[in-house]
């Protein structure tokens, strides 16, 4: 007796279609909201002293850096590492959308020094990524799937 696998084949095709729709929605969400991602990365993470793992950026600033930051007008925070001096590093960040993820990168000349010293500074932490998905991606997935 032959088994009809049409139902399973249809179900498999529906799952693949859903997966493709979700991946395209994620990509659309990232491409449409690159400025918001940069804001989450810079203002809600780095400026608050958190890296892409959600932990404090370490090592702390050297005493010489603290003195320089205190002399700026207005003075800059020294109780945490913000990676903000002139703002050039923040503004150099680029967001590149993949199929179901993204890359935050920079090609500013001293970025290799920052990444080597502070390691996991580029990328959204779980809190920021969840916030982005809830506010921007989930609505696009719902809209595209309906």
């Amino acid at each position: 007796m032959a088994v009809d696998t049409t139902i399973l084949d249809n179900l498999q095709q529906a799952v693949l279609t859903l997966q493709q729709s979700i991946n395209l929605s994620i990509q659309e969400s990232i491409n449409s909201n690159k400025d918001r991602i940069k804001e989450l990365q810079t203002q809600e993470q780095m400026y608050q002293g958190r890296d892409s793992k959600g932990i404090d950026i370490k090592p702390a600033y050297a005493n010489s850096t603290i003195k320089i930051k205190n002399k700026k007008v207005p003075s800059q925070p020294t109780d945490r590492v913000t990676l903000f001096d002139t703002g050039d590093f923040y503004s150099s960040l680029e967001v590149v959308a993949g199929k179901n993820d993204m890359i935050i990168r920079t090609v500013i000349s001293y970025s290799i020094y920052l990444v080597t010293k502070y390691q996991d500074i580029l990328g959204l932490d779980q809190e920021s990524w969840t916030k982005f998905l809830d506010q921007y991606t989930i609505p696009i997935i719902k809209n595209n799937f309906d």
Side-chain angles (χ1 to χ4, degrees):
M1 166 160 62
V3 176
D4 184 6
T5 61
T6 305
I7 293 174
L8 291 176
D9 292 340
N10 290 343
L11 180 59
Q12 181 181 21
Q13 187 57 45
V15 169
L16 291 173
T17 301
L18 177 60
Q19 182 180 9
Q20 184 178 21
S21 174
I22 289 172
N23 288 348
L24 290 172
S25 297
I26 291 169
Q27 199 169 30
E28 177 185 341
S29 172
I30 292 167
N31 281 325
S32 299
N33 297 289
K34 289 181 178 183
D35 287 341
R36 179 62 177 134
I37 292 168
K38 286 175 65 172
E39 183 180 316
L40 287 166
Q41 171 75 81
T42 57
Q43 300 306 310
E44 295 190 28
Q45 268 182 227
M46 285 195 281
Y47 199 77
Q48 301 309 315
R50 293 191 333 262
D51 68 11
S52 65
K53 293 181 177 180
I55 58 176
D56 291 346
I57 299 171
K58 298 225 184 280
Y61 285 133
N63 286 335
S64 57
T65 303
I66 291 172
K67 288 177 185 174
I68 292 168
K69 287 186 163 289
N70 284 333
K71 288 180 183 176
K72 291 188 179 266
V73 178
S75 66
Q76 294 182 3
T78 58
D79 61 332
R80 62 193 183 272
V81 175
T82 64
L83 304 174
F84 186 89
D85 183 34
T86 63
D88 290 345
F89 178 62
Y90 282 23
S91 63
S92 75
L93 297 180
E94 298 174 348
V95 177
V96 180
K99 287 192 177 197
N100 59 359
D101 62 359
M102 71 175 167
I103 296 171
I104 299 175
R105 67 182 184 193
T106 179
V107 292
I108 202 160
S109 61
Y110 53 85
S111 65
I112 190 74
Y113 165 76
L114 293 176
V115 171
T116 300
K117 182 172 183 176
Y118 297 108
Q119 298 178 2
D120 299 311
I121 54 175
L122 297 177
L124 296 184
D125 65 10
Q126 188 66 39
E127 180 182 337
S128 295
W129 185 238
T130 299
K131 184 184 290 189
F132 179 78
L133 291 174
D134 287 347
Q135 292 177 357
Y136 299 96
T137 306
I138 299 299
I140 289 175
I141 291 171
K142 287 179 180 178
N143 185 52
N144 288 348
F145 192 69
D146 290 342

